[in-house]
Amino acid sequence: MIKQRKSLTSIKEEIKQFYQKDVSVKVNLGRNKTATYTGKLTGIYPSLITVSPYGKYLGKTNFSYADILCGLVTIKYAEK
């Protein structure tokens, strides 16, 4: 069982700090596989966020706040 450390409202408040800034996204793909990339947080919506990745990844990716709550997605400021 996954422990809930934060509420959805606190996660939404944290994500608002990253809007239109460079972020590093780490996605848990299961079976000890992860994908890490940098991009710009381009959209904040009531139920999801949108990240436009840089480099070899094309298009936009979106994640729900529940993905962050469960630990499937980790977002932090990109290191330069």
Side-chain angles (χ1 to χ4, degrees):
M1 178 175 245
I2 298 173
K3 273 189 164 177
Q4 183 175 350
R5 291 180 230 143
K6 300 179 182 179
S7 66
L8 286 176
T9 54
S10 67
I11 290 173
K12 287 180 183 182
E13 292 301 318
E14 287 180 20
I15 294 297
K16 285 181 184 178
Q17 298 173 4
F18 298 128
Y19 185 64
Q20 292 296 325
K21 295 192 169 92
D22 293 337
V23 293
S24 175
V25 180
K26 183 177 180 183
V27 182
N28 183 357
L29 301 173
R31 295 200 179 230
N32 298 326
K33 296 177 193 167
T34 60
T36 305
Y37 60 88
T38 58
K40 182 180 259 187
L41 185 69
T42 56
I44 296 178
Y45 302 101
S47 60
L48 56 94
I49 59 170
T50 304
V51 178
S52 295
Y54 300 138
K56 65 180 179 179
Y57 299 103
L58 299 174
K60 293 181 180 180
T61 56
N62 55 12
F63 306 104
S64 69
Y65 295 107
D67 293 338
I68 298 168
L69 179 68
C70 293
L72 298 175
V73 176
T74 305
I75 298 177
K76 59 183 180 179
Y77 283 113
E79 297 175 6
K80 293 182 180 181

